Amino acid sequence: MLASVLTAALLGALGAAAARTDAHHPPLPPAGARAAPPEELLASHWYRDARDAIEARRAKLRFGATAGARNVVMFLGDGMSLPTLAAARTLLGQRERRPGEEAQLSFEAFPTLGLAKTYCVDAQTADSACSATAYLCGAKANGGTLGLSAAVPRRDCGASQAPAARLQSVAAWALAAGRDAGVVTTTRITHASPAGTYAHAAERNWESDADVRASGVDVGACPDIAHQLVHLAPGNQFKVILGGGRRMFLNDTLVDEEGTPGERADGRNLIEEWQADKARRNVSYQYAWNREQLLHANATLPEYLLGLFEGNHLRYNLETDPATEPTLAELTEVAIRMLSRNEKGFFLFVEGGRIDHAHHDNRARLALDETIELSAAVARAVRLLDEADSLVVVTADHTHVMAFNGYSARGADVLGPSRSRDADGVPYMTLSYTNGPGRRPDVDGRRPDVTREPDVGSPRWRTHVDVPLASETHGSDDVPVFAWGAHHEMFSGLYEQSHVPHRMAYAGCFGGGPQACDAAAAPSALALPLVATLLALLRALA
């Protein structure tokens, strides 16, 4: 009786906290919407849901358990929808002078494929923050929040301080088990997806102290994401940190190595503070801002490596200077080589983040090329790892609204026009978007013929859209989950996105939930009847 009263009181308090809102969260759901069940505000709800699914899945496996995965690598294609995969593999094949449709991205050959549901507690369509909280921290959250349960409304600094609301990521679980951890991304290292490995923030955009101050929030109560990475656990324990976003670490009176001004308003240089922290620990370390310095780190392998290769995001692969900026495959290789020195193993998060940015701008060519770059990075990782003691998981956080459509002939240019035409006889592209900034005004009441635009073949040409928006939106579809290595079979089926880190921890034998190593030590469900039969036979013969 007392327990039920306390539970009701707790849920009521969390519900009241969730009702505190600002301009970004209206106090009541829109007409026709239904509020999430109150138990979803608790991380324990999602943890229990994942645990039960793992136990049910394990009971159905019809082969003996193996040892756990010493190394776990998670690749994220930000916004990598199924149409994106189909179009990217076709482009890859056509670059190799084949029809294209029969081609395969590296991870599409993985033995296990599943689907994850991406909705947030307060939204049908996920953003990269609530989804990062799900696939890295194991609990669904509210849109725009990082590393916090759904009891915390967006921008509610006070609610984010409650210990029960603060979630630990799968990277932190690995560190607690004595393993090493690292993060790699083509976006700012403080961007929502990579920040999910280390940050607790009621607003994903609080990347620097200036962002926090602009919201009228006390930086002392809610430190910015860059500060958390450098000075707070688990970020300050990461052996490898590679991405962009130097401006978030530098004061606004400074410029970085390539002339980008800093954004901070607190007079601090967090890059120097990261270096000073490692010097105090008496460990070897290196800061890199260009490809040459990264390759030097690959040769010398310091204990800690911070690489920030742009003031903002890394440049698109099709627009980069290969002399100064490394590829995602190169970043991945350095990270794996550094982390592999820990005999207990490691957890590594790698994001191909600019797939998402290209889709938001309706630039399909850039999005597909960034997907192919992610595939190359996955292939590099698989070559460096042992399938027997490593797990590689490749997934996406959410989808986009690009369609792969029309009735084109086999081998038709995937970036070109469809074979069919609209009702007015005007051509349309094989790849198009339902919304975004690529809308052109009609000509005499008809769609314009975009195939005649002079820049139609350039990387920054915008594919046509139906609904004009300043930025294309995410989609609400399920996302694929590919798995290779130890216990890959745990990732088949359809499940909540919040299951992903729990299943990785299960395979890696760390974290607080069920572990594959526990299963390996006990007889399997199939073996138990056989054991009972043998015991009965022995008793009968005695």
Side-chain angles (χ1 to χ4, degrees):
M1 179 66 179
L2 177 60
S4 62
V5 172
L6 290 175
T7 300
L10 175 59
L11 290 174
L14 290 173
R20 294 195 299 272
T21 61
D22 58 19
H24 296 267
H25 264 64
L28 294 174
R34 297 179 179 178
E39 61 268 19
E40 291 188 5
L41 301 181
L42 298 172
S44 58
H45 166 79
W46 301 104
Y47 282 23
R48 183 170 55 254
D49 178 59
R51 181 199 63 211
D52 292 347
I54 289 172
E55 295 290 5
R57 178 74 177 144
R58 181 164 63 179
K60 294 179 180 179
L61 296 180
R62 297 189 176 275
F63 39 83
T66 61
R70 190 169 64 89
N71 310 311
V72 178
V73 183
M74 180 181 187
F75 284 90
L76 184 88
D78 197 314
M80 189 174 66
S81 61
L82 289 172
T84 302
L85 291 175
R89 84 169 73 101
T90 303
L91 177 61
L92 175 64
Q94 291 178 351
R95 286 178 173 179
E96 297 169 348
R97 301 185 181 281
R98 295 185 284 157
E101 296 84 358
E102 73 292 338
Q104 192 174 55
L105 300 171
S106 64
F107 48 86
E108 292 179 327
F110 282 8
T112 292
L113 170 62
L115 291 171
K117 296 185 282 186
T118 61
Y119 66 91
C120 304
V121 171
D122 66 343
Q124 282 183 341
T125 304
D127 80 312
S128 291
C130 75
S131 55
T133 304
Y135 65 72
L136 287 169
C137 301
K140 296 217 170 196
N142 294 322
T145 65
L146 278 168
L148 301 167
S149 76
V152 181
R154 188 170 187 173
R155 292 199 173 191
D156 192 329
C157 174
S160 72
Q161 303 307 303
R166 299 171 73 82
L167 308 176
Q168 295 300 313
S169 74
V170 62
W173 303 347
L175 287 167
R179 309 192 188 194
D180 283 336
V183 59
V184 173
T185 182
T186 55
T187 69
R188 293 189 300 270
I189 199 70
T190 52
H191 213 235
S193 301
T197 61
Y198 62 87
H200 307 283
E203 171 54 66
R204 58 174 287 181
N205 294 316
W206 290 343
E207 296 184 52
S208 77
D209 72 301
D211 300 321
V212 181
R213 297 174 199 276
S215 297
V217 172
D218 179 9
V219 179
C222 283
D224 61 89
I225 293 171
H227 174 91
Q228 292 184 51
L229 176 60
V230 171
H231 289 293
L232 302 180
N236 64 356
Q237 301 173 40
F238 288 179
K239 291 292 181 68
V240 184
I241 301 169
L242 302 174
R246 288 189 295 254
R247 73 188 196 199
M248 301 301 173
F249 296 79
L250 300 176
N251 194 58
D252 57 13
T253 59
L254 302 174
V255 296
D256 68 14
E257 295 85 351
E258 296 178 301
T260 303
E263 185 175 302
R264 304 191 66 81
D266 56 7
R268 301 174 72 166
N269 183 329
L270 293 184
I271 296 173
E272 291 183 350
E273 292 180 20
W274 179 88
Q275 293 171 308
D277 174 69
K278 304 306 174 281
R280 282 193 299 269
R281 298 191 204 180
N282 196 29
V283 295
S284 62
Y285 62 90
Q286 181 181 334
Y287 165 65
W289 67 269
N290 60 46
R291 181 173 181 268
E292 180 181 356
Q293 293 172 345
L294 177 79
L295 297 180
H296 178 265
N298 198 26
T300 59
L301 296 182
E303 292 180 69
Y304 289 83
L305 174 63
L306 171 63
L308 299 174
F309 302 97
E310 284 289 339
N312 193 15
H313 306 299
L314 271 64
R315 286 175 281 181
Y316 289 112
N317 173 65
L318 288 177
E319 300 178 343
T320 194
D321 180 355
T324 61
E325 196 157 295
T327 65
L328 184 58
E330 290 172 333
L331 294 169
T332 301
E333 176 177 336
V334 174
I336 289 176
R337 292 190 66 231
M338 287 189 60
L339 295 172
S340 294
R341 292 173 296 181
N342 188 328
E343 293 182 357
K344 293 184 178 180
F346 63 83
F347 172 81
L348 173 64
F349 175 77
V350 181
E351 182 199 22
R354 304 226 62 195
I355 302 168
D356 174 77
H357 298 162
H359 276 320
H360 278 305
D361 284 340
N362 295 152
R363 291 181 167 125
R365 185 183 298 268
L366 288 175
L368 302 192
D369 183 75
E370 292 296 309
T371 305
I372 292 171
E373 284 296 294
L374 178 70
S375 174
V378 174
R380 183 77 60 92
V382 168
R383 288 198 297 270
L384 292 168
L385 297 168
D386 185 344
E387 187 174 5
D389 74 348
S390 298
L391 171 69
V392 176
V393 175
V394 182
T395 187
D397 48 354
H398 53 73
T399 64
H400 277 274
V401 295
M402 185 194 79
F404 189 172
N405 63 154
Y407 294 101
S408 295
R410 171 74 185 277
D413 181 4
V414 70
L415 293 169
S418 170
R419 182 171 64 178
S420 62
R421 300 193 172 205
D422 71 9
D424 294 319
V426 179
Y428 63 93
M429 304 301 282
T430 298
L431 303 179
S432 59
Y433 292 85
T434 62
N435 62 53
R439 176 72 182 268
R440 281 78 160 175
D442 292 347
V443 178
D444 297 328
R446 300 169 57 175
R447 289 178 48 256
D449 184 351
V450 295
T451 64
R452 296 185 179 182
E453 296 179 0
D455 61 341
V456 68
S458 70
R460 287 196 166 261
W461 181 78
R462 283 192 164 115
T463 306
H464 68 261
V465 305
D466 297 321
V467 178
L469 293 175
S471 177
E472 178 260 11
T473 71
H474 295 170
S476 304
D477 328 23
D478 302 332
V479 293
V481 185
F482 301 88
W484 169 93
H487 299 285
H488 62 81
E489 67 280 352
M490 292 300 296
F491 292 86
S492 64
L494 172 66
Y495 41 86
E496 300 288 358
Q497 191 172 46
S498 50
H499 290 193
V500 173
H502 296 284
R503 296 185 185 214
M504 290 191 293
Y506 168 87
C509 296
F510 59 84
Q515 297 183 8
C517 299
D518 298 335
S524 69
L526 289 175
L528 289 175
L530 178 59
V531 170
T533 301
L534 289 174
L535 288 174
L537 180 60
L538 288 172
R539 283 194 294 268
L541 293 174

